[in-house]
Amino acid sequence: MLGDARLNLEREPPQRFDVLAIDAFSSDAIPVHLITSEAVQVYKRHLAPGGVIAFHVTNRFLNLIPVVDALAKANGLSAINIADDNPAQFGSRSDWVLLSENKELLEKPALAEHASEIVPRPDWRLW
């Protein structure tokens, strides 16, 4: 499918994805329209029950982790941050924030043991 993925998803019937990965934030120019409350509503519509929205939020200039955490809370979702802080193992560090209505899934040991604390930023506005 060509074009803006969010706009295409808005026009599509629900897809029932188990995982929907949003991976567009590593450059200097952040596509803000992909990380808004409105976007999360579109993503949620396309998830299967208990599905996960996975935001790849690795960025050298912006801390997007509290932004995605606030989006989760505003949209009735749980969130965990999975951070790979061992560049020697994988070549570079990587941060993923996983959102789901299925809190039990995010608390499973296979995920929870790799989760890093999310420090909320209540002084930041929701995007």
Side-chain angles (χ1 to χ4, degrees):
M1 181 181 321
L2 296 176
D4 184 304
R6 177 182 167 196
L7 294 177
N8 287 331
L9 283 173
E10 287 177 0
R11 293 188 288 265
E12 292 283 323
Q15 300 297 311
R16 300 182 54 84
F17 296 124
D18 292 320
V19 177
L20 180 59
I22 314 299
D23 183 6
F25 307 111
S26 59
S27 72
D28 297 351
I30 299 296
V32 174
H33 71 289
L34 298 178
I35 194 168
T36 63
S37 192
E38 292 82 5
V40 171
Q41 287 298 314
V42 171
Y43 306 150
K44 280 178 63 174
R45 186 170 66 83
H46 286 285
L47 285 183
V52 173
I53 306 167
F55 282 91
H56 181 216
V57 294
T58 306
N59 190 284
R60 292 181 297 159
F61 304 106
L62 295 173
N63 180 6
L64 297 173
I65 296 167
V67 173
V68 175
D69 182 54
L71 287 171
K73 289 177 181 157
N75 286 280
L77 300 169
S78 296
I80 63 169
N81 176 36
I82 305 295
D84 168 33
D85 292 325
N86 186 357
Q89 184 175 4
F90 296 107
S92 63
R93 67 178 313 278
S94 183
D95 290 301
W96 287 83
V97 179
L98 308 181
L99 281 57
S100 182
E101 291 178 337
N102 186 349
K103 186 175 183 176
E104 292 78 27
L105 172 71
L106 300 180
E107 292 174 343
K108 288 192 176 213
L111 289 174
E113 69 185 29
H114 299 288
S116 299
E117 179 183 8
I118 297 176
V119 179
R121 292 297 309 256
D123 52 322
W124 290 3
R125 286 185 11 195
L126 189 63
W127 292 11

